[in-house]
């Protein structure tokens, strides 16, 4: 539907007789959407927020999940309950104190409110990613750590040299989920990014209603056959939607096979 509408002229969108096949293909909609969205600027902001947060969440959530999965320490139950609490509480309920906190730090209209929390296992869906790593590490055999201890490796070295490299299936799952959720999220960016230069693609798409110039041309060229047909920018909006989701589609095309294998392997029980 999006692809079909993005190829239509404005007259085709308003014509009830045109459903799926445009009367004439119009690729100019993509050029207008690209220019109106200022695509490269929005793409850069989205990439920094999405990929930067995803990589940091892999590193932080992995070591937190390993600690919960393989060790019992004083206050374990309390810490685990607090982890579940951060997962259950909607971020909308604490957005005001978070905004005031980040504002005092001077982080508004920067990428820091997204990147820095991810460095410490928080950020968007951070608690869920910790739970994914906990479940994965719990299924790994104990003989790996026992062999490492015999060879003189400490806990951190055991994690970094042995356990972390084996968690590639969980890392890929967390990476894809984090990238997609950060890419599509508009709540936190609308809260912390108020300057157009820092808008990501989701924010720019939400403010895009089509080119007014094309609507004016359609009104000027009104004929007896198009009287009563209100010009609409739906064709350009659909082109903008495709441009916005295209990077994620390309990413998934390259990692889809590995992603499915990772989901299957993450469910295999160890000793």
């Amino acid at each position: 539907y999006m692809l079909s509408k993005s190829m239509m002229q404005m007259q085709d969108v308003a014509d009830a007789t045109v459903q799926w096949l445009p009367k004439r293909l119009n690729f100019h909609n993509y050029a207008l959407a690209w220019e109106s969205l200022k695509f490269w600027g929005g793409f850069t902001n989205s990439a920094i927020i999405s990929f930067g947060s995803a990589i940091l969440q892999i590193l932080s959530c992995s070591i937190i999940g390993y600690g919960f999965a393989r060790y019992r320490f004083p206050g374990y139950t309390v810490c685990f309950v607090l982890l579940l609490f951060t997962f259950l509480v909607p971020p909308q309920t604490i957005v005001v104190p978070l905004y005031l906190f980040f504002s005092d730090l001077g982080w508004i209209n920067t990428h820091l409110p997204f990147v820095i929390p991810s460095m410490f296992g928080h950020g968007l869906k951070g608690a869920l990613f910790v739970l994914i790593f906990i479940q994965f590490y719990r299924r790994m055999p104990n003989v790996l750590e026992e062999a490492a201890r015999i060879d003189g490796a400490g806990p951190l070295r055991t994690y970094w040299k042995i356990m972390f490299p084996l968690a590639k299936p969980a890392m890929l799952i967390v990476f894809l989920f984090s990238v997609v959720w950060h890419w599509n999220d508009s709540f936190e960016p609308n809260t912390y990014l108020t300057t157009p230069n820092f808008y990501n693609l989701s924010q720019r798409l939400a403010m895009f209603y089509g080119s007014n110039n094309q609507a004016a041309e359609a009104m000027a060229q009104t004929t007896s056959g198009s009287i009563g047909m209100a010009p609409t920018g739906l064709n350009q909006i659909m082109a903008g939607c495709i441009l916005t989701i295209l990077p994620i589609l390309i990413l998934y095309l390259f990692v889809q096979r590995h992603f499915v294998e990772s989901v299957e392997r993450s469910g295999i029980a160890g000793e």
Side-chain angles (χ1 to χ4, degrees), residues 255-267:
V255 302
Q256 183 266 344
R257 179 173 63 86
H258 302 287
F259 175 72
V260 174
E261 292 177 355
S262 298
V263 172
E264 293 175 350
R265 290 179 59 188
S266 61

PDB file of all heavy atoms in Angstrom, residues 255-267:
ATOM      1  N   VAL A 255      20.748  -9.335   8.089  1.00  0.00           N
ATOM      2  CA  VAL A 255      20.937 -10.103   9.323  1.00  0.00           C
ATOM      3  C   VAL A 255      19.764 -11.034   9.625  1.00  0.00           C
ATOM      4  O   VAL A 255      19.755 -11.672  10.670  1.00  0.00           O
ATOM      5  CB  VAL A 255      21.156  -9.153  10.524  1.00  0.00           C
ATOM      6  CG1 VAL A 255      22.361  -8.261  10.291  1.00  0.00           C
ATOM      7  CG2 VAL A 255      19.925  -8.312  10.788  1.00  0.00           C
ATOM      8  N   GLN A 256      18.805 -11.140   8.702  1.00  0.00           N
ATOM      9  CA  GLN A 256      17.599 -11.919   8.985  1.00  0.00           C
ATOM     10  C   GLN A 256      17.932 -13.376   9.282  1.00  0.00           C
ATOM     11  O   GLN A 256      17.419 -13.963  10.237  1.00  0.00           O
ATOM     12  CB  GLN A 256      16.631 -11.816   7.798  1.00  0.00           C
ATOM     13  CG  GLN A 256      15.308 -12.537   8.008  1.00  0.00           C
ATOM     14  CD  GLN A 256      15.308 -13.953   7.456  1.00  0.00           C
ATOM     15  OE1 GLN A 256      16.181 -14.308   6.666  1.00  0.00           O
ATOM     16  NE2 GLN A 256      14.346 -14.755   7.870  1.00  0.00           N
ATOM     17  N   ARG A 257      18.794 -13.972   8.482  1.00  0.00           N
ATOM     18  CA  ARG A 257      19.123 -15.391   8.690  1.00  0.00           C
ATOM     19  C   ARG A 257      19.810 -15.584  10.041  1.00  0.00           C
ATOM     20  O   ARG A 257      19.495 -16.526  10.782  1.00  0.00           O
ATOM     21  CB  ARG A 257      20.028 -15.890   7.558  1.00  0.00           C
ATOM     22  CG  ARG A 257      20.443 -17.348   7.699  1.00  0.00           C
ATOM     23  CD  ARG A 257      21.185 -17.812   6.471  1.00  0.00           C
ATOM     24  NE  ARG A 257      22.421 -17.060   6.288  1.00  0.00           N
ATOM     25  CZ  ARG A 257      23.574 -17.390   6.862  1.00  0.00           C
ATOM     26  NH1 ARG A 257      23.647 -18.473   7.634  1.00  0.00           N
ATOM     27  NH2 ARG A 257      24.660 -16.678   6.655  1.00  0.00           N
ATOM     28  N   HIS A 258      20.753 -14.718  10.361  1.00  0.00           N
ATOM     29  CA  HIS A 258      21.453 -14.836  11.643  1.00  0.00           C
ATOM     30  C   HIS A 258      20.510 -14.549  12.804  1.00  0.00           C
ATOM     31  O   HIS A 258      20.659 -15.132  13.888  1.00  0.00           O
ATOM     32  CB  HIS A 258      22.631 -13.859  11.672  1.00  0.00           C
ATOM     33  CG  HIS A 258      23.610 -14.065  10.556  1.00  0.00           C
ATOM     34  ND1 HIS A 258      24.484 -15.134  10.524  1.00  0.00           N
ATOM     35  CD2 HIS A 258      23.839 -13.352   9.418  1.00  0.00           C
ATOM     36  CE1 HIS A 258      25.225 -15.063   9.432  1.00  0.00           C
ATOM     37  NE2 HIS A 258      24.847 -13.991   8.741  1.00  0.00           N
ATOM     38  N   PHE A 259      19.553 -13.653  12.585  1.00  0.00           N
ATOM     39  CA  PHE A 259      18.603 -13.336  13.649  1.00  0.00           C
ATOM     40  C   PHE A 259      17.737 -14.547  13.986  1.00  0.00           C
ATOM     41  O   PHE A 259      17.526 -14.861  15.160  1.00  0.00           O
ATOM     42  CB  PHE A 259      17.727 -12.159  13.221  1.00  0.00           C
ATOM     43  CG  PHE A 259      16.635 -11.826  14.205  1.00  0.00           C
ATOM     44  CD1 PHE A 259      16.932 -11.226  15.414  1.00  0.00           C
ATOM     45  CD2 PHE A 259      15.319 -12.124  13.920  1.00  0.00           C
ATOM     46  CE1 PHE A 259      15.934 -10.926  16.324  1.00  0.00           C
ATOM     47  CE2 PHE A 259      14.312 -11.820  14.810  1.00  0.00           C
ATOM     48  CZ  PHE A 259      14.623 -11.214  16.020  1.00  0.00           C
ATOM     49  N   VAL A 260      17.230 -15.224  12.978  1.00  0.00           N
ATOM     50  CA  VAL A 260      16.406 -16.416  13.215  1.00  0.00           C
ATOM     51  C   VAL A 260      17.225 -17.498  13.906  1.00  0.00           C
ATOM     52  O   VAL A 260      16.753 -18.164  14.840  1.00  0.00           O
ATOM     53  CB  VAL A 260      15.824 -16.929  11.878  1.00  0.00           C
ATOM     54  CG1 VAL A 260      15.091 -18.236  12.094  1.00  0.00           C
ATOM     55  CG2 VAL A 260      14.890 -15.890  11.279  1.00  0.00           C
ATOM     56  N   GLU A 261      18.471 -17.701  13.464  1.00  0.00           N
ATOM     57  CA  GLU A 261      19.327 -18.692  14.110  1.00  0.00           C
ATOM     58  C   GLU A 261      19.594 -18.320  15.564  1.00  0.00           C
ATOM     59  O   GLU A 261      19.648 -19.195  16.440  1.00  0.00           O
ATOM     60  CB  GLU A 261      20.649 -18.811  13.347  1.00  0.00           C
ATOM     61  CG  GLU A 261      20.493 -19.415  11.954  1.00  0.00           C
ATOM     62  CD  GLU A 261      21.802 -19.440  11.202  1.00  0.00           C
ATOM     63  OE1 GLU A 261      22.792 -18.891  11.744  1.00  0.00           O
ATOM     64  OE2 GLU A 261      21.850 -19.989  10.087  1.00  0.00           O
ATOM     65  N   SER A 262      19.748 -17.024  15.845  1.00  0.00           N
ATOM     66  CA  SER A 262      20.020 -16.588  17.215  1.00  0.00           C
ATOM     67  C   SER A 262      18.822 -16.844  18.116  1.00  0.00           C
ATOM     68  O   SER A 262      18.979 -17.252  19.274  1.00  0.00           O
ATOM     69  CB  SER A 262      20.375 -15.096  17.223  1.00  0.00           C
ATOM     70  OG  SER A 262      21.541 -14.852  16.471  1.00  0.00           O
ATOM     71  N   VAL A 263      17.631 -16.601  17.601  1.00  0.00           N
ATOM     72  CA  VAL A 263      16.433 -16.867  18.395  1.00  0.00           C
ATOM     73  C   VAL A 263      16.332 -18.349  18.715  1.00  0.00           C
ATOM     74  O   VAL A 263      15.983 -18.748  19.837  1.00  0.00           O
ATOM     75  CB  VAL A 263      15.177 -16.382  17.642  1.00  0.00           C
ATOM     76  CG1 VAL A 263      13.913 -16.822  18.367  1.00  0.00           C
ATOM     77  CG2 VAL A 263      15.207 -14.869  17.495  1.00  0.00           C
ATOM     78  N   GLU A 264      16.663 -19.195  17.734  1.00  0.00           N
ATOM     79  CA  GLU A 264      16.585 -20.632  17.966  1.00  0.00           C
ATOM     80  C   GLU A 264      17.654 -21.095  18.952  1.00  0.00           C
ATOM     81  O   GLU A 264      17.391 -21.870  19.868  1.00  0.00           O
ATOM     82  CB  GLU A 264      16.749 -21.374  16.647  1.00  0.00           C
ATOM     83  CG  GLU A 264      15.575 -21.134  15.668  1.00  0.00           C
ATOM     84  CD  GLU A 264      15.840 -21.779  14.332  1.00  0.00           C
ATOM     85  OE1 GLU A 264      16.986 -22.229  14.092  1.00  0.00           O
ATOM     86  OE2 GLU A 264      14.915 -21.832  13.509  1.00  0.00           O
ATOM     87  N   ARG A 265      18.888 -20.578  18.802  1.00  0.00           N
ATOM     88  CA  ARG A 265      19.975 -21.011  19.671  1.00  0.00           C
ATOM     89  C   ARG A 265      19.814 -20.512  21.085  1.00  0.00           C
ATOM     90  O   ARG A 265      20.246 -21.162  22.028  1.00  0.00           O
ATOM     91  CB  ARG A 265      21.314 -20.513  19.099  1.00  0.00           C
ATOM     92  CG  ARG A 265      21.735 -21.207  17.819  1.00  0.00           C
ATOM     93  CD  ARG A 265      23.048 -20.636  17.329  1.00  0.00           C
ATOM     94  NE  ARG A 265      24.095 -20.801  18.328  1.00  0.00           N
ATOM     95  CZ  ARG A 265      25.306 -20.258  18.222  1.00  0.00           C
ATOM     96  NH1 ARG A 265      25.578 -19.489  17.172  1.00  0.00           N
ATOM     97  NH2 ARG A 265      26.208 -20.447  19.156  1.00  0.00           N
ATOM     98  N   SER A 266      19.189 -19.347  21.254  1.00  0.00           N
ATOM     99  CA  SER A 266      19.044 -18.803  22.601  1.00  0.00           C
ATOM    100  C   SER A 266      18.075 -19.633  23.442  1.00  0.00           C
ATOM    101  O   SER A 266      18.025 -19.485  24.659  1.00  0.00           O
ATOM    102  CB  SER A 266      18.527 -17.359  22.531  1.00  0.00           C
ATOM    103  OG  SER A 266      17.258 -17.316  21.918  1.00  0.00           O
ATOM    104  N   GLY A 267      17.322 -20.534  22.806  1.00  0.00           N
ATOM    105  CA  GLY A 267      16.396 -21.374  23.559  1.00  0.00           C
ATOM    106  C   GLY A 267      16.931 -22.761  23.870  1.00  0.00           C
ATOM    107  O   GLY A 267      16.230 -23.575  24.437  1.00  0.00           O
TER     108      GLY A 267
END
